[in-house]
Amino acid sequence: MSPGGESRLRIAIFGAGGIGGYLGGRLSQAGEEVVLIARGEHLKAIREHGLRVDSIKGDFVATPALATDNPTEAGTVDAVILGVKAWQVLDAADAMHPMIGPNTFVVPMQNGVDAPAQLASVLGESAMVVGMGGIMSYIVGPGHILHAGAEPFVTFGEADDSTSERTQDLLRALLKADVRANIPTNAYAALWGKLTYMAASSGIGALTRVSSDQWRAVPESWAMAQDVVREVLAVAAGQGISMPDDAYASTIARFESAAPGGTSSMQRDVMEGRRSELEVQTGAIVRLGKESGVPTPVNTFIYHSLLPQEMKAQGKF
Protein backbone atom coordinates (compact mmCIF):
# COMPACT_ATOMS: atom_id res chain seq x y z
CA MET A 1 0.00 0.00 0.00
CA SER A 2 1.31 3.46 -0.80
CA PRO A 3 2.11 6.01 1.95
CA GLY A 4 -0.91 7.69 3.51
CA GLY A 5 -3.12 4.63 3.20
CA GLU A 6 -4.46 5.33 -0.31
CA SER A 7 -5.70 2.33 -2.20
CA ARG A 8 -2.91 2.43 -4.80
CA LEU A 9 -1.36 -1.00 -5.06
CA ARG A 10 1.99 -2.11 -6.41
CA ILE A 11 1.08 -4.99 -8.70
CA ALA A 12 3.51 -7.09 -10.72
CA ILE A 13 2.37 -8.81 -13.89
CA PHE A 14 4.63 -11.83 -14.34
CA GLY A 15 4.14 -12.79 -17.98
CA ALA A 16 2.70 -9.88 -19.94
CA GLY A 17 0.96 -11.96 -22.62
CA GLY A 18 -2.70 -12.13 -23.57
CA ILE A 19 -4.26 -12.09 -20.12
CA GLY A 20 -1.39 -10.62 -18.10
CA GLY A 21 -0.76 -7.80 -20.56
CA TYR A 22 -4.44 -6.91 -20.72
CA LEU A 23 -4.89 -6.87 -16.92
CA GLY A 24 -1.66 -4.96 -16.40
CA GLY A 25 -2.70 -2.40 -18.97
CA ARG A 26 -6.12 -1.88 -17.41
CA LEU A 27 -4.72 -1.64 -13.87
CA SER A 28 -2.09 0.86 -15.01
CA GLN A 29 -4.76 2.96 -16.73
CA ALA A 30 -6.75 2.93 -13.49
CA GLY A 31 -3.83 4.40 -11.54
CA GLU A 32 -2.24 1.37 -9.89
CA GLU A 33 1.56 1.07 -9.81
CA VAL A 34 2.09 -1.74 -12.31
CA VAL A 35 5.36 -3.59 -12.86
CA LEU A 36 5.45 -5.67 -16.03
CA ILE A 37 7.82 -8.63 -16.11
CA ALA A 38 8.38 -9.37 -19.80
CA ARG A 39 11.28 -10.22 -22.08
CA GLY A 40 12.81 -9.86 -25.53
CA GLU A 41 11.29 -7.70 -28.25
CA HIS A 42 8.00 -7.49 -26.34
CA LEU A 43 9.78 -5.86 -23.39
CA LYS A 44 11.78 -3.55 -25.65
CA ALA A 45 8.65 -2.30 -27.39
CA ILE A 46 6.83 -1.72 -24.08
CA ARG A 47 9.77 0.31 -22.78
CA GLU A 48 9.91 2.42 -25.93
CA HIS A 49 6.24 2.93 -26.77
CA GLY A 50 4.16 1.65 -23.83
CA LEU A 51 1.87 -1.35 -23.98
CA ARG A 52 -0.68 -1.06 -26.79
CA VAL A 53 -3.97 -2.86 -26.17
CA ASP A 54 -6.56 -3.09 -28.93
CA SER A 55 -9.77 -4.18 -27.22
CA ILE A 56 -13.44 -4.71 -27.92
CA LYS A 57 -13.88 -2.62 -24.74
CA GLY A 58 -11.85 0.28 -26.16
CA ASP A 59 -8.25 0.67 -27.38
CA PHE A 60 -5.57 2.25 -25.21
CA VAL A 61 -1.84 2.53 -24.61
CA ALA A 62 -0.65 1.93 -21.04
CA THR A 63 2.63 3.08 -19.58
CA PRO A 64 3.58 0.82 -16.65
CA ALA A 65 5.56 2.20 -13.74
CA LEU A 66 8.31 -0.27 -14.65
CA ALA A 67 8.89 -2.84 -17.39
CA THR A 68 11.75 -5.25 -16.81
CA ASP A 69 12.95 -8.82 -17.25
CA ASN A 70 14.63 -8.73 -13.84
CA PRO A 71 12.45 -9.47 -10.76
CA THR A 72 15.23 -8.15 -8.50
CA GLU A 73 14.91 -4.75 -10.20
CA ALA A 74 11.16 -4.87 -9.59
CA GLY A 75 11.53 -5.17 -5.82
CA THR A 76 8.76 -6.10 -3.38
CA VAL A 77 5.17 -5.78 -4.57
CA ASP A 78 1.73 -6.12 -2.97
CA ALA A 79 0.47 -8.71 -5.45
CA VAL A 80 1.69 -10.71 -8.44
CA ILE A 81 -0.67 -11.69 -11.25
CA LEU A 82 0.88 -14.75 -12.88
CA GLY A 83 0.21 -14.91 -16.61
CA VAL A 84 2.75 -17.49 -17.82
CA LYS A 85 1.92 -20.82 -19.49
CA ALA A 86 0.89 -23.61 -17.12
CA TRP A 87 4.15 -25.52 -17.62
CA GLN A 88 6.18 -22.41 -16.66
CA VAL A 89 4.66 -21.91 -13.18
CA LEU A 90 7.42 -23.55 -11.12
CA ASP A 91 10.23 -21.67 -12.90
CA ALA A 92 8.30 -18.39 -12.61
CA ALA A 93 7.70 -18.95 -8.90
CA ASP A 94 11.40 -19.53 -8.33
CA ALA A 95 12.29 -16.38 -10.29
CA MET A 96 9.89 -14.12 -8.39
CA HIS A 97 11.43 -14.59 -4.93
CA PRO A 98 12.84 -11.00 -4.92
CA MET A 99 9.32 -9.59 -5.33
CA ILE A 100 7.74 -11.52 -2.44
CA GLY A 101 7.40 -9.66 0.86
CA PRO A 102 5.71 -10.85 4.08
CA ASN A 103 2.20 -10.06 2.79
CA THR A 104 2.73 -10.40 -0.97
CA PHE A 105 0.44 -12.88 -2.67
CA VAL A 106 0.47 -14.48 -6.12
CA VAL A 107 -2.72 -14.89 -8.15
CA PRO A 108 -2.36 -17.67 -10.75
CA MET A 109 -4.29 -17.25 -14.02
CA GLN A 110 -3.48 -20.70 -15.42
CA ASN A 111 -5.94 -23.34 -16.56
CA GLY A 112 -6.07 -26.55 -14.57
CA VAL A 113 -5.92 -26.99 -10.80
CA ASP A 114 -2.18 -27.47 -10.17
CA ALA A 115 -0.86 -23.89 -9.98
CA PRO A 116 -1.80 -23.04 -6.35
CA ALA A 117 0.03 -26.08 -4.95
CA GLN A 118 2.99 -25.44 -7.26
CA LEU A 119 3.27 -21.86 -6.03
CA ALA A 120 2.97 -22.94 -2.40
CA SER A 121 5.72 -25.55 -2.88
CA VAL A 122 8.18 -22.84 -3.94
CA LEU A 123 7.01 -19.70 -2.12
CA GLY A 124 5.09 -21.04 0.89
CA GLU A 125 1.37 -21.35 1.58
CA SER A 126 0.89 -17.72 2.64
CA ALA A 127 2.26 -16.36 -0.64
CA MET A 128 -0.43 -17.82 -2.86
CA VAL A 129 -4.15 -17.55 -3.37
CA VAL A 130 -6.37 -19.68 -5.57
CA GLY A 131 -7.07 -17.89 -8.82
CA MET A 132 -8.13 -18.11 -12.42
CA GLY A 133 -9.00 -15.82 -15.27
CA GLY A 134 -10.38 -15.79 -18.74
CA ILE A 135 -10.11 -13.65 -21.85
CA MET A 136 -9.72 -14.15 -25.59
CA SER A 137 -6.58 -12.13 -26.25
CA TYR A 138 -3.17 -12.56 -27.86
CA ILE A 139 0.19 -10.91 -28.40
CA VAL A 140 -0.04 -9.85 -32.06
CA GLY A 141 3.33 -8.10 -32.14
CA PRO A 142 5.98 -6.74 -29.77
CA GLY A 143 4.29 -4.50 -27.19
CA HIS A 144 0.88 -5.09 -28.77
CA ILE A 145 -2.03 -7.08 -27.25
CA LEU A 146 -5.28 -7.78 -29.10
CA HIS A 147 -8.36 -8.45 -26.96
CA ALA A 148 -10.57 -10.06 -29.57
CA GLY A 149 -13.49 -11.46 -27.60
CA ALA A 150 -15.09 -12.45 -24.30
CA GLU A 151 -15.61 -10.27 -21.26
CA PRO A 152 -12.35 -10.58 -19.26
CA PHE A 153 -12.81 -12.00 -15.76
CA VAL A 154 -10.67 -12.73 -12.73
CA THR A 155 -11.76 -14.96 -9.84
CA PHE A 156 -9.54 -15.42 -6.80
CA GLY A 157 -9.60 -16.00 -3.07
CA GLU A 158 -7.66 -17.22 -0.07
CA ALA A 159 -7.11 -20.99 -0.08
CA ASP A 160 -9.14 -21.34 3.15
CA ASP A 161 -11.88 -19.02 1.82
CA SER A 162 -11.25 -16.53 4.62
CA THR A 163 -11.88 -12.83 4.03
CA SER A 164 -8.60 -10.90 3.86
CA GLU A 165 -7.71 -7.27 3.46
CA ARG A 166 -5.18 -8.07 0.74
CA THR A 167 -7.65 -9.85 -1.53
CA GLN A 168 -10.28 -7.16 -0.93
CA ASP A 169 -7.72 -4.49 -1.94
CA LEU A 170 -6.93 -6.28 -5.22
CA LEU A 171 -10.63 -6.86 -5.90
CA ARG A 172 -11.29 -3.11 -5.54
CA ALA A 173 -8.38 -2.33 -7.87
CA LEU A 174 -9.63 -4.73 -10.56
CA LEU A 175 -13.19 -3.44 -10.35
CA LYS A 176 -11.92 0.15 -10.57
CA ALA A 177 -10.02 -0.92 -13.71
CA ASP A 178 -13.30 -2.14 -15.27
CA VAL A 179 -12.35 -5.82 -15.00
CA ARG A 180 -15.11 -8.24 -14.00
CA ALA A 181 -13.69 -9.75 -10.80
CA ASN A 182 -15.01 -11.60 -7.80
CA ILE A 183 -14.01 -13.52 -4.69
CA PRO A 184 -16.05 -16.76 -4.60
CA THR A 185 -17.33 -18.41 -1.45
CA ASN A 186 -15.35 -21.57 -2.36
CA ALA A 187 -12.23 -20.80 -4.39
CA TYR A 188 -11.25 -24.40 -5.09
CA ALA A 189 -14.78 -25.26 -6.24
CA ALA A 190 -14.59 -22.34 -8.68
CA LEU A 191 -11.23 -23.59 -9.96
CA TRP A 192 -12.53 -27.13 -10.45
CA GLY A 193 -15.69 -25.75 -12.05
CA LYS A 194 -13.60 -24.13 -14.74
CA LEU A 195 -11.63 -27.35 -15.30
CA THR A 196 -14.88 -29.31 -15.58
CA TYR A 197 -15.86 -27.23 -18.59
CA MET A 198 -12.36 -26.87 -20.05
CA ALA A 199 -11.50 -30.59 -19.90
CA ALA A 200 -14.58 -31.45 -21.96
CA SER A 201 -14.22 -28.53 -24.35
CA SER A 202 -10.48 -29.05 -24.89
CA GLY A 203 -10.46 -32.84 -24.90
CA ILE A 204 -13.37 -33.43 -27.26
CA GLY A 205 -12.39 -30.42 -29.38
CA ALA A 206 -8.81 -31.65 -29.78
CA LEU A 207 -9.98 -35.13 -30.73
CA THR A 208 -12.68 -34.08 -33.20
CA ARG A 209 -10.94 -30.93 -34.51
CA VAL A 210 -14.24 -29.14 -35.09
CA SER A 211 -16.02 -26.37 -33.18
CA SER A 212 -18.02 -27.20 -30.07
CA ASP A 213 -21.41 -26.67 -31.73
CA GLN A 214 -20.38 -29.17 -34.42
CA TRP A 215 -19.24 -31.93 -32.07
CA ARG A 216 -22.29 -31.31 -29.88
CA ALA A 217 -24.44 -32.00 -32.95
CA VAL A 218 -23.09 -35.57 -33.04
CA PRO A 219 -24.86 -37.52 -30.26
CA GLU A 220 -21.94 -39.88 -29.65
CA SER A 221 -19.30 -37.15 -29.22
CA TRP A 222 -21.69 -35.06 -27.10
CA ALA A 223 -22.21 -38.13 -24.89
CA MET A 224 -18.42 -38.44 -24.52
CA ALA A 225 -18.22 -34.82 -23.40
CA GLN A 226 -20.90 -35.40 -20.79
CA ASP A 227 -18.90 -38.40 -19.53
CA VAL A 228 -15.83 -36.17 -19.26
CA VAL A 229 -17.81 -33.73 -17.10
CA ARG A 230 -19.03 -36.55 -14.84
CA GLU A 231 -15.49 -37.91 -14.43
CA VAL A 232 -14.03 -34.51 -13.54
CA LEU A 233 -16.70 -33.95 -10.90
CA ALA A 234 -16.05 -37.45 -9.50
CA VAL A 235 -12.31 -36.71 -9.27
CA ALA A 236 -13.05 -33.37 -7.58
CA ALA A 237 -15.10 -35.23 -4.96
CA GLY A 238 -12.26 -37.72 -4.59
CA GLN A 239 -9.91 -34.81 -3.92
CA GLY A 240 -12.20 -33.50 -1.18
CA ILE A 241 -13.58 -30.56 -3.16
CA SER A 242 -17.14 -29.64 -2.24
CA MET A 243 -18.75 -28.81 -5.58
CA PRO A 244 -22.17 -27.13 -5.95
CA ASP A 245 -25.15 -29.46 -6.31
CA ASP A 246 -25.85 -28.09 -9.79
CA ALA A 247 -22.24 -28.38 -11.04
CA TYR A 248 -23.09 -30.97 -13.69
CA ALA A 249 -26.28 -29.28 -14.87
CA SER A 250 -24.70 -25.82 -15.03
CA THR A 251 -21.73 -27.12 -17.05
CA ILE A 252 -24.03 -28.83 -19.56
CA ALA A 253 -26.16 -25.68 -19.77
CA ARG A 254 -23.04 -23.64 -20.49
CA PHE A 255 -22.21 -25.88 -23.45
CA GLU A 256 -25.77 -25.73 -24.74
CA SER A 257 -25.80 -21.94 -24.64
CA ALA A 258 -22.31 -21.48 -26.15
CA ALA A 259 -22.00 -19.41 -29.31
CA PRO A 260 -21.29 -21.37 -32.50
CA GLY A 261 -17.75 -21.67 -33.82
CA GLY A 262 -16.05 -21.97 -30.42
CA THR A 263 -12.73 -23.77 -29.95
CA SER A 264 -10.45 -23.96 -26.90
CA SER A 265 -6.86 -22.76 -26.76
CA MET A 266 -5.66 -26.31 -26.07
CA GLN A 267 -7.57 -27.55 -29.11
CA ARG A 268 -6.04 -24.85 -31.33
CA ASP A 269 -2.54 -25.64 -30.06
CA VAL A 270 -3.01 -29.36 -30.78
CA MET A 271 -4.41 -28.66 -34.25
CA GLU A 272 -1.46 -26.41 -35.08
CA GLY A 273 1.16 -28.83 -33.74
CA ARG A 274 2.22 -26.64 -30.81
CA ARG A 275 2.84 -27.61 -27.21
CA SER A 276 -0.50 -27.59 -25.42
CA GLU A 277 -2.02 -27.78 -21.94
CA LEU A 278 -2.86 -31.47 -22.32
CA GLU A 279 -0.97 -32.35 -19.14
CA VAL A 280 -2.69 -29.74 -16.94
CA GLN A 281 -6.18 -30.37 -18.27
CA THR A 282 -6.92 -33.96 -19.37
CA GLY A 283 -3.65 -35.30 -17.95
CA ALA A 284 -4.39 -33.81 -14.53
CA ILE A 285 -7.78 -35.54 -14.40
CA VAL A 286 -6.14 -38.89 -15.19
CA ARG A 287 -3.34 -38.32 -12.65
CA LEU A 288 -5.58 -37.07 -9.83
CA GLY A 289 -8.13 -39.79 -10.58
CA LYS A 290 -5.46 -42.45 -10.03
CA GLU A 291 -4.37 -40.64 -6.86
CA SER A 292 -7.96 -40.66 -5.55
CA GLY A 293 -8.89 -44.13 -6.78
CA VAL A 294 -11.51 -42.66 -9.13
CA PRO A 295 -11.82 -44.28 -12.59
CA THR A 296 -11.51 -41.87 -15.54
CA PRO A 297 -11.90 -44.08 -18.64
CA VAL A 298 -13.00 -41.38 -21.10
CA ASN A 299 -10.38 -38.84 -20.01
CA THR A 300 -7.77 -41.62 -20.08
CA PHE A 301 -8.73 -42.50 -23.66
CA ILE A 302 -8.53 -38.83 -24.73
CA TYR A 303 -5.21 -38.31 -22.93
CA HIS A 304 -3.53 -41.37 -24.44
CA SER A 305 -4.92 -40.54 -27.89
CA LEU A 306 -3.41 -37.03 -27.82
CA LEU A 307 -0.19 -37.84 -25.94
CA PRO A 308 1.94 -38.91 -28.94
CA GLN A 309 1.28 -35.62 -30.76
CA GLU A 310 1.97 -33.70 -27.54
CA MET A 311 5.30 -35.49 -27.18
CA LYS A 312 6.11 -34.67 -30.79
CA ALA A 313 5.28 -30.99 -30.22
CA GLN A 314 7.65 -30.98 -27.26
CA GLY A 315 10.45 -32.45 -29.38
CA LYS A 316 10.53 -35.77 -27.54
CA PHE A 317 10.68 -37.87 -30.71
Side-chain angles (χ1 to χ4, degrees):
M1 197 73 67
S2 57
E6 313 97 75
S7 60
R8 192 167 190 247
L9 294 179
R10 193 158 198 267
I11 302 168
I13 307 295
F14 201 109
I19 189 166
Y22 178 86
L23 294 175
R26 287 288 181 201
L27 288 163
S28 180
Q29 288 290 96
E32 307 303 335
E33 185 181 350
V34 172
V35 177
L36 290 184
I37 306 296
R39 61 186 181 185
E41 291 299 313
H42 191 48
L43 172 61
K44 182 181 176 187
I46 293 169
R47 282 174 163 167
E48 291 177 357
H49 309 294
L51 178 66
R52 175 183 166 190
V53 179
D54 294 344
S55 170
I56 57 174
K57 290 170 65 73
D59 302 344
F60 62 94
V61 176
T63 305
L66 174 68
T68 180
D69 57 3
N70 183 356
T72 301
E73 184 183 350
T76 305
V77 297
D78 295 306
V80 181
I81 294 175
L82 184 60
V84 300
K85 295 289 189 181
W87 56 84
Q88 299 171 322
V89 170
L90 286 170
D91 287 342
D94 193 48
M96 70 177 67
H97 274 292
M99 300 192 298
I100 306 298
N103 204 39
T104 305
F105 63 105
V106 185
V107 186
M109 292 287 102
Q110 289 68 34
N111 290 324
V113 295
D114 294 327
Q118 290 177 322
L119 289 169
S121 73
V122 177
L123 300 170
E125 295 282 347
S126 66
M128 72 82 178
V129 299
V130 180
M132 62 182 183
I135 186 176
M136 191 180 295
S137 62
Y138 323 90
I139 296 177
V140 290
H144 184 189
I145 304 284
L146 172 64
H147 168 215
E151 175 72 20
F153 78 90
V154 176
T155 296
F156 65 100
E158 299 287 356
D160 62 359
D161 295 313
S162 61
T163 300
S164 67
E165 185 178 345
R166 65 184 191 173
T167 54
Q168 293 293 331
D169 286 342
L170 181 59
L171 178 63
R172 280 191 290 270
L174 287 163
L175 294 174
K176 190 174 78 168
D178 194 27
V179 173
R180 184 161 58 98
N182 77 300
I183 296 174
T185 54
N186 185 328
Y188 276 110
L191 194 65
W192 276 86
K194 184 182 181 187
L195 180 60
T196 303
Y197 181 84
M198 291 298 297
S201 174
S202 299
I204 303 300
L207 272 188
T208 62
R209 303 190 170 218
V210 297
S211 61
S212 63
D213 55 305
Q214 291 172 330
W215 57 252
R216 275 189 290 113
V218 179
E220 294 82 1
S221 55
W222 179 217
M224 281 181 67
Q226 293 172 67
D227 285 340
V228 169
V229 171
R230 292 187 189 96
E231 288 180 9
V232 179
L233 292 173
V235 174
Q239 289 284 310
I241 308 298
S242 179
M243 299 297 288
D245 292 340
D246 69 343
Y248 175 80
S250 63
T251 303
I252 298 305
R254 184 177 171 191
F255 274 115
E256 292 174 338
S257 63
T263 57
S264 76
S265 58
M266 182 183 122
Q267 173 182 350
R268 293 190 297 272
D269 286 340
V270 168
M271 290 172 67
E272 293 167 25
R274 296 191 296 259
R275 182 172 187 172
S276 78
E277 291 189 338
L278 178 65
E279 290 294 341
V280 300
Q281 294 192 42
T282 310
I285 299 307
V286 174
R287 169 170 46 84
L288 295 171
K290 285 180 180 174
E291 186 181 289
S292 306
V294 176
T296 57
V298 180
N299 279 283
T300 299
F301 168 76
I302 294 170
Y303 176 64
H304 290 153
S305 298
L306 297 173
L307 187 56
Q309 179 170 324
E310 183 65 26
M311 293 172 69
K312 180 182 178 183
Q314 294 185 31
K316 292 183 178 178
F317 291 139

